[in-house]
CSV table of all heavy atoms in Angstrom, one decimal:
chain,number,residue,atom,x,y,z
C,1188,MET,N,-27.8,-47.4,-62.5
C,1188,MET,CA,-29.0,-47.3,-61.8
C,1188,MET,C,-29.9,-46.2,-62.5
C,1188,MET,O,-29.3,-45.3,-63.1
C,1188,MET,CB,-28.7,-46.8,-60.4
C,1188,MET,CG,-29.9,-46.7,-59.5
C,1188,MET,SD,-30.9,-48.2,-59.4
C,1188,MET,CE,-29.6,-49.3,-58.8
C,1189,SER,N,-31.1,-46.3,-62.4
C,1189,SER,CA,-32.0,-45.3,-63.0
C,1189,SER,C,-31.8,-43.9,-62.4
C,1189,SER,O,-31.3,-43.8,-61.2
C,1189,SER,CB,-33.4,-45.7,-62.8
C,1189,SER,OG,-33.7,-45.8,-61.4
C,1190,GLU,N,-32.2,-42.9,-63.1
C,1190,GLU,CA,-32.1,-41.6,-62.5
C,1190,GLU,C,-33.4,-41.3,-61.7
C,1190,GLU,O,-34.4,-41.2,-62.3
C,1190,GLU,CB,-32.0,-40.5,-63.6
C,1190,GLU,CG,-30.9,-40.9,-64.7
C,1190,GLU,CD,-29.8,-41.7,-64.2
C,1190,GLU,OE1,-29.4,-41.5,-63.0
C,1190,GLU,OE2,-29.2,-42.5,-64.9
C,1191,HIS,N,-33.3,-41.3,-60.4
C,1191,HIS,CA,-34.5,-41.1,-59.6
C,1191,HIS,C,-34.7,-39.6,-59.4
C,1191,HIS,O,-35.4,-39.2,-58.4
C,1191,HIS,CB,-34.3,-41.8,-58.3
C,1191,HIS,CG,-34.2,-43.2,-58.4
C,1191,HIS,ND1,-33.7,-44.0,-57.3
C,1191,HIS,CD2,-34.4,-44.1,-59.4
C,1191,HIS,CE1,-33.7,-45.3,-57.7
C,1191,HIS,NE2,-34.0,-45.3,-59.0
C,1192,THR,N,-34.1,-38.8,-60.1
C,1192,THR,CA,-33.7,-37.5,-59.6
C,1192,THR,C,-34.2,-36.3,-60.4
C,1192,THR,O,-33.5,-35.3,-60.4
C,1192,THR,CB,-32.2,-37.5,-59.6
C,1192,THR,OG1,-31.7,-38.1,-60.8
C,1192,THR,CG2,-31.6,-38.3,-58.4
C,1193,THR,N,-35.2,-36.5,-61.2
C,1193,THR,CA,-35.6,-35.3,-61.9
C,1193,THR,C,-36.8,-34.7,-61.2
C,1193,THR,O,-37.1,-35.0,-60.0
C,1193,THR,CB,-36.0,-35.7,-63.4
C,1193,THR,OG1,-36.6,-36.9,-63.4
C,1193,THR,CG2,-34.7,-35.7,-64.2
C,1196,ASP,N,-38.9,-35.9,-57.9
C,1196,ASP,CA,-38.2,-36.3,-56.7
C,1196,ASP,C,-37.5,-35.1,-56.1
C,1196,ASP,O,-37.4,-34.9,-54.9
C,1196,ASP,CB,-37.1,-37.3,-57.1
C,1196,ASP,CG,-37.7,-38.6,-57.6
C,1196,ASP,OD1,-38.9,-38.7,-57.4
C,1196,ASP,OD2,-37.0,-39.3,-58.2
C,1255,ASP,N,-28.7,-37.3,-73.7
C,1255,ASP,CA,-30.1,-36.8,-73.4
C,1255,ASP,C,-30.2,-35.3,-73.2
C,1255,ASP,O,-31.2,-34.8,-72.7
C,1255,ASP,CB,-30.7,-37.5,-72.1
C,1255,ASP,CG,-30.5,-39.0,-72.2
C,1255,ASP,OD1,-31.3,-39.6,-73.0
C,1255,ASP,OD2,-29.7,-39.6,-71.4
C,1267,ASP,N,-33.2,-27.7,-71.4
C,1267,ASP,CA,-34.6,-27.8,-71.8
C,1267,ASP,C,-34.9,-26.7,-72.9
C,1267,ASP,O,-34.6,-25.5,-72.7
C,1267,ASP,CB,-35.5,-27.5,-70.6
C,1267,ASP,CG,-37.0,-27.8,-71.0
C,1267,ASP,OD1,-37.2,-28.6,-71.9
C,1267,ASP,OD2,-37.9,-27.2,-70.3
C,1283,LEU,N,-23.9,-43.1,-75.6
C,1283,LEU,CA,-23.7,-43.2,-74.1
C,1283,LEU,C,-22.2,-43.5,-73.8
C,1283,LEU,O,-21.9,-44.7,-73.5
C,1283,LEU,CB,-24.7,-44.2,-73.5
C,1283,LEU,CG,-25.1,-44.1,-72.1
C,1283,LEU,CD1,-26.2,-45.2,-71.8
C,1283,LEU,CD2,-24.0,-44.1,-71.1
C,1285,GLU,N,-18.9,-41.4,-72.0
C,1285,GLU,CA,-18.4,-40.1,-71.5
C,1285,GLU,C,-17.0,-39.8,-72.1
C,1285,GLU,O,-16.7,-38.6,-72.3
C,1285,GLU,CB,-18.4,-40.0,-70.0
C,1285,GLU,CG,-19.8,-40.0,-69.4
C,1285,GLU,CD,-20.5,-41.3,-69.4
C,1285,GLU,OE1,-19.9,-42.4,-69.7
C,1285,GLU,OE2,-21.7,-41.4,-69.1
C,1352,GLU,N,-26.4,-45.1,-56.5
C,1352,GLU,CA,-24.9,-45.0,-56.4
C,1352,GLU,C,-24.3,-44.2,-57.6
C,1352,GLU,O,-24.8,-44.3,-58.7
C,1352,GLU,CB,-24.3,-46.5,-56.4
C,1352,GLU,CG,-22.9,-46.6,-55.9
C,1352,GLU,CD,-22.4,-48.0,-55.8
C,1352,GLU,OE1,-23.1,-48.9,-56.3
C,1352,GLU,OE2,-21.2,-48.2,-55.4
C,1522,ASP,N,-14.1,-40.7,-45.1
C,1522,ASP,CA,-13.3,-41.5,-46.1
C,1522,ASP,C,-14.0,-42.8,-46.5
C,1522,ASP,O,-13.4,-43.9,-46.3
C,1522,ASP,CB,-11.9,-41.7,-45.6
C,1522,ASP,CG,-11.1,-40.4,-45.6
C,1522,ASP,OD1,-11.3,-39.6,-46.5
C,1522,ASP,OD2,-10.2,-40.3,-44.8
C,1527,SER,N,-25.8,-44.8,-49.5
C,1527,SER,CA,-27.1,-44.8,-50.1
C,1527,SER,C,-28.0,-43.8,-49.3
C,1527,SER,O,-27.6,-43.3,-48.3
C,1527,SER,CB,-27.7,-46.2,-49.9
C,1527,SER,OG,-28.8,-46.4,-50.7
C,1529,ASP,N,-30.5,-43.5,-47.4
C,1529,ASP,CA,-30.8,-43.6,-46.0
C,1529,ASP,C,-29.7,-43.1,-45.1
C,1529,ASP,O,-30.0,-42.7,-44.0
C,1529,ASP,CB,-31.1,-45.1,-45.7
C,1529,ASP,CG,-32.5,-45.5,-45.9
C,1529,ASP,OD1,-33.3,-44.7,-46.4
C,1529,ASP,OD2,-32.9,-46.7,-45.7
C,1533,GLU,N,-26.1,-38.7,-42.8
C,1533,GLU,CA,-25.0,-39.0,-41.8
C,1533,GLU,C,-23.7,-38.7,-42.4
C,1533,GLU,O,-22.7,-38.4,-41.7
C,1533,GLU,CB,-25.0,-40.5,-41.4
C,1533,GLU,CG,-26.3,-41.0,-40.8
C,1533,GLU,CD,-26.5,-40.3,-39.4
C,1533,GLU,OE1,-25.5,-40.0,-38.7
C,1533,GLU,OE2,-27.7,-40.1,-39.0
C,1539,ASP,N,-25.2,-29.9,-37.2
C,1539,ASP,CA,-24.6,-30.3,-36.0
C,1539,ASP,C,-23.1,-30.4,-36.1
C,1539,ASP,O,-22.3,-29.9,-35.3
C,1539,ASP,CB,-25.2,-31.6,-35.4
C,1539,ASP,CG,-26.5,-31.3,-34.8
C,1539,ASP,OD1,-26.9,-30.1,-34.6
C,1539,ASP,OD2,-27.2,-32.3,-34.6
C,1543,TYR,N,-20.2,-28.4,-34.3
C,1543,TYR,CA,-19.1,-29.0,-33.5
C,1543,TYR,C,-17.8,-28.5,-33.9
C,1543,TYR,O,-16.9,-28.2,-33.1
C,1543,TYR,CB,-19.2,-30.5,-33.5
C,1543,TYR,CG,-20.2,-31.1,-32.6
C,1543,TYR,CD1,-21.3,-31.9,-33.1
C,1543,TYR,CD2,-20.1,-31.0,-31.2
C,1543,TYR,CE1,-22.2,-32.5,-32.3
C,1543,TYR,CE2,-21.1,-31.6,-30.4
C,1543,TYR,CZ,-22.1,-32.3,-30.9
C,1543,TYR,OH,-23.0,-32.9,-30.1
C,1547,ARG,N,-15.0,-26.5,-31.7
C,1547,ARG,CA,-13.6,-26.9,-31.5
C,1547,ARG,C,-12.7,-25.8,-31.8
C,1547,ARG,O,-11.7,-25.6,-31.1
C,1547,ARG,CB,-13.3,-28.1,-32.4
C,1547,ARG,CG,-13.8,-29.4,-31.8
C,1547,ARG,CD,-13.2,-30.6,-32.6
C,1547,ARG,NE,-13.5,-30.7,-34.0
C,1547,ARG,CZ,-14.7,-31.3,-34.4
C,1547,ARG,NH1,-15.5,-31.8,-33.5
C,1547,ARG,NH2,-15.0,-31.3,-35.7
D,1098,ALA,N,-36.5,-48.5,-61.4
D,1098,ALA,CA,-36.3,-48.6,-62.9
D,1098,ALA,C,-37.1,-49.8,-63.4
D,1098,ALA,O,-36.6,-50.9,-63.3
D,1098,ALA,CB,-34.9,-48.7,-63.2
D,1125,TYR,N,-28.8,-52.5,-63.7
D,1125,TYR,CA,-29.7,-52.0,-62.6
D,1125,TYR,C,-31.2,-52.3,-62.9
D,1125,TYR,O,-32.0,-52.0,-62.2
D,1125,TYR,CB,-29.6,-50.5,-62.5
D,1125,TYR,CG,-29.7,-49.8,-63.9
D,1125,TYR,CD1,-31.0,-49.6,-64.5
D,1125,TYR,CD2,-28.6,-49.4,-64.5
D,1125,TYR,CE1,-31.1,-49.1,-65.7
D,1125,TYR,CE2,-28.7,-48.9,-65.8
D,1125,TYR,CZ,-29.9,-48.7,-66.4
D,1125,TYR,OH,-30.0,-48.2,-67.6
D,1147,ALA,N,-33.2,-47.1,-51.2
D,1147,ALA,CA,-32.1,-46.3,-50.8
D,1147,ALA,C,-31.5,-46.8,-49.5
D,1147,ALA,O,-30.9,-46.1,-48.7
D,1147,ALA,CB,-32.4,-44.8,-50.7
D,1150,HIS,N,-26.6,-49.3,-51.5
D,1150,HIS,CA,-26.3,-49.3,-52.9
D,1150,HIS,C,-25.8,-50.7,-53.3
D,1150,HIS,O,-24.9,-51.2,-52.7
D,1150,HIS,CB,-25.1,-48.4,-53.2
D,1150,HIS,CG,-25.5,-46.9,-53.2
D,1150,HIS,ND1,-26.7,-46.4,-53.6
D,1150,HIS,CD2,-24.8,-45.8,-52.8
D,1150,HIS,CE1,-26.7,-45.1,-53.5
D,1150,HIS,NE2,-25.6,-44.7,-53.0
D,1164,ILE,N,-26.0,-55.0,-57.7
D,1164,ILE,CA,-26.6,-54.1,-58.7
D,1164,ILE,C,-25.7,-53.0,-59.0
D,1164,ILE,O,-25.0,-52.5,-58.2
D,1164,ILE,CB,-28.0,-53.6,-58.1
D,1164,ILE,CG1,-28.9,-54.7,-58.0
D,1164,ILE,CG2,-28.5,-52.5,-59.0
D,1164,ILE,CD1,-30.1,-54.4,-57.0
D,1166,ALA,N,-24.7,-49.5,-61.0
D,1166,ALA,CA,-25.3,-48.2,-61.5
D,1166,ALA,C,-24.4,-47.6,-62.7
D,1166,ALA,O,-24.9,-46.8,-63.4
D,1166,ALA,CB,-25.4,-47.2,-60.4
D,1167,VAL,N,-23.2,-48.0,-62.8
D,1167,VAL,CA,-22.3,-47.5,-63.8
D,1167,VAL,C,-22.7,-48.3,-65.1
D,1167,VAL,O,-22.4,-49.5,-65.2
D,1167,VAL,CB,-20.8,-47.7,-63.5
D,1167,VAL,CG1,-20.0,-47.1,-64.7
D,1167,VAL,CG2,-20.5,-47.0,-62.2
D,1206,GLN,N,-20.2,-47.9,-74.6
D,1206,GLN,CA,-19.1,-47.6,-73.6
D,1206,GLN,C,-17.9,-48.4,-74.1
D,1206,GLN,O,-17.9,-49.6,-74.4
D,1206,GLN,CB,-19.5,-48.1,-72.2
D,1206,GLN,CG,-20.5,-47.2,-71.5
D,1206,GLN,CD,-19.8,-45.9,-71.0
D,1206,GLN,OE1,-18.6,-45.7,-71.0
D,1206,GLN,NE2,-20.7,-44.9,-70.6
D,1234,ILE,N,-32.5,-44.1,-72.0
D,1234,ILE,CA,-33.3,-42.9,-71.6
D,1234,ILE,C,-34.0,-42.4,-72.8
D,1234,ILE,O,-34.9,-43.1,-73.3
D,1234,ILE,CB,-32.5,-41.9,-70.8
D,1234,ILE,CG1,-31.7,-42.6,-69.6
D,1234,ILE,CG2,-33.4,-40.8,-70.2
D,1234,ILE,CD1,-31.0,-41.6,-68.7
D,1235,SER,N,-33.6,-41.2,-73.4
D,1235,SER,CA,-34.4,-40.6,-74.5
D,1235,SER,C,-33.8,-40.9,-75.8
D,1235,SER,O,-34.3,-40.4,-76.8
D,1235,SER,CB,-34.4,-39.1,-74.2
D,1235,SER,OG,-33.2,-38.5,-74.5
D,1241,GLN,N,-27.8,-44.5,-81.4
D,1241,GLN,CA,-26.9,-45.1,-80.3
D,1241,GLN,C,-26.0,-46.1,-80.9
D,1241,GLN,O,-24.7,-46.1,-80.6
D,1241,GLN,CB,-27.8,-45.7,-79.2
D,1241,GLN,CG,-27.0,-46.3,-78.0
D,1241,GLN,CD,-26.6,-45.2,-77.1
D,1241,GLN,OE1,-25.4,-44.9,-76.9
D,1241,GLN,NE2,-27.5,-44.5,-76.5
D,1300,SER,N,-37.2,-44.6,-65.8
D,1300,SER,CA,-37.3,-44.8,-64.3
D,1300,SER,C,-38.5,-44.0,-63.9
D,1300,SER,O,-39.1,-43.3,-64.7
D,1300,SER,CB,-36.0,-44.3,-63.6
D,1300,SER,OG,-36.0,-42.9,-63.5
D,1302,SER,N,-38.5,-41.4,-62.4
D,1302,SER,CA,-38.3,-39.9,-62.6
D,1302,SER,C,-38.5,-39.5,-64.0
D,1302,SER,O,-38.4,-38.3,-64.3
D,1302,SER,CB,-36.9,-39.5,-62.2
D,1302,SER,OG,-36.6,-40.0,-60.9
D,1307,ARG,N,-41.8,-36.7,-73.3
D,1307,ARG,CA,-40.9,-35.7,-73.9
D,1307,ARG,C,-40.2,-36.2,-75.2
D,1307,ARG,O,-39.6,-35.4,-75.9
D,1307,ARG,CB,-39.9,-35.2,-72.9
D,1307,ARG,CG,-40.5,-34.4,-71.8
D,1307,ARG,CD,-39.4,-34.0,-70.8
D,1307,ARG,NE,-38.7,-32.9,-71.3
D,1307,ARG,CZ,-38.8,-31.6,-70.9
D,1307,ARG,NH1,-39.8,-31.3,-70.0
D,1307,ARG,NH2,-38.1,-30.7,-71.5
D,1365,ARG,N,-30.1,-48.7,-42.4
D,1365,ARG,CA,-28.9,-49.4,-41.9
D,1365,ARG,C,-28.3,-48.5,-40.8
D,1365,ARG,O,-28.3,-47.3,-41.0
D,1365,ARG,CB,-27.9,-49.7,-42.9
D,1365,ARG,CG,-28.5,-50.5,-44.1
D,1365,ARG,CD,-29.1,-51.8,-43.7
D,1365,ARG,NE,-28.2,-52.6,-42.9
D,1365,ARG,CZ,-28.6,-53.7,-42.2
D,1365,ARG,NH1,-29.8,-54.2,-42.3
D,1365,ARG,NH2,-27.7,-54.4,-41.5
D,1370,MET,N,-21.5,-47.4,-42.7
D,1370,MET,CA,-20.7,-46.6,-43.6
D,1370,MET,C,-19.2,-46.9,-43.5
D,1370,MET,O,-18.5,-46.8,-44.5
D,1370,MET,CB,-20.9,-45.1,-43.3
D,1370,MET,CG,-22.2,-44.5,-43.7
D,1370,MET,SD,-22.1,-42.7,-43.8
D,1370,MET,CE,-21.8,-42.3,-42.0
D,1385,GLN,N,-12.4,-41.7,-37.6
D,1385,GLN,CA,-13.6,-41.0,-38.2
D,1385,GLN,C,-14.9,-41.6,-37.7
D,1385,GLN,O,-15.9,-40.9,-37.4
D,1385,GLN,CB,-13.5,-41.0,-39.7
D,1385,GLN,CG,-12.4,-40.1,-40.3
D,1385,GLN,CD,-12.4,-40.0,-41.8
D,1385,GLN,OE1,-13.4,-40.5,-42.4
D,1385,GLN,NE2,-11.4,-39.4,-42.4
D,1389,TRP,N,-17.7,-39.6,-35.7
D,1389,TRP,CA,-19.1,-39.6,-36.2
D,1389,TRP,C,-20.1,-40.0,-35.2
D,1389,TRP,O,-21.1,-39.4,-34.9
D,1389,TRP,CB,-19.3,-40.5,-37.5
D,1389,TRP,CG,-20.7,-40.8,-37.8
D,1389,TRP,CD1,-21.5,-40.0,-38.4
D,1389,TRP,CD2,-21.4,-42.0,-37.3
D,1389,TRP,NE1,-22.8,-40.6,-38.5
D,1389,TRP,CE2,-22.8,-41.8,-37.8
D,1389,TRP,CE3,-21.1,-43.1,-36.6
D,1389,TRP,CZ2,-23.7,-42.7,-37.6
D,1389,TRP,CZ3,-22.1,-44.1,-36.4
D,1389,TRP,CH2,-23.4,-43.9,-36.9
D,1392,GLU,N,-20.5,-37.3,-32.5
D,1392,GLU,CA,-21.2,-36.1,-33.0
D,1392,GLU,C,-22.6,-36.4,-33.3
D,1392,GLU,O,-23.5,-35.6,-33.1
D,1392,GLU,CB,-20.5,-35.5,-34.1
D,1392,GLU,CG,-19.1,-34.9,-33.7
D,1392,GLU,CD,-18.4,-34.2,-34.8
D,1392,GLU,OE1,-18.9,-34.2,-36.0
D,1392,GLU,OE2,-17.4,-33.5,-34.5
D,1395,HIS,N,-24.5,-37.3,-30.2
D,1395,HIS,CA,-24.3,-36.2,-29.2
D,1395,HIS,C,-23.8,-36.8,-27.9
D,1395,HIS,O,-24.3,-36.4,-26.8
D,1395,HIS,CB,-25.6,-35.5,-29.0
D,1395,HIS,CG,-26.1,-34.9,-30.2
D,1395,HIS,ND1,-25.7,-33.7,-30.7
D,1395,HIS,CD2,-27.0,-35.4,-31.1
D,1395,HIS,CE1,-26.4,-33.5,-31.9
D,1395,HIS,NE2,-27.1,-34.5,-32.1
Side-chain angles (χ1 to χ4, degrees):
Chain C
M1188 182 59 55
S1189 60
E1190 313 329 329
H1191 299 165
T1192 42
T1193 39
D1196 298 343
D1255 307 291
D1267 190 24
L1283 205 174
E1285 291 77 10
E1352 199 179 1
D1522 286 331
S1527 198
D1529 274 1
E1533 301 293 330
D1539 284 349
Y1543 278 120
R1547 280 193 294 277
Chain D
Y1125 50 78
H1150 287 323
I1164 293 161
V1167 181
Q1206 287 284 352
I1234 309 187
S1235 72
Q1241 182 77 248
S1300 77
S1302 309
R1307 292 180 76 103
R1365 305 301 310 171
M1370 282 198 297
Q1385 289 188 9
W1389 164 80
E1392 293 184 352
H1395 304 275

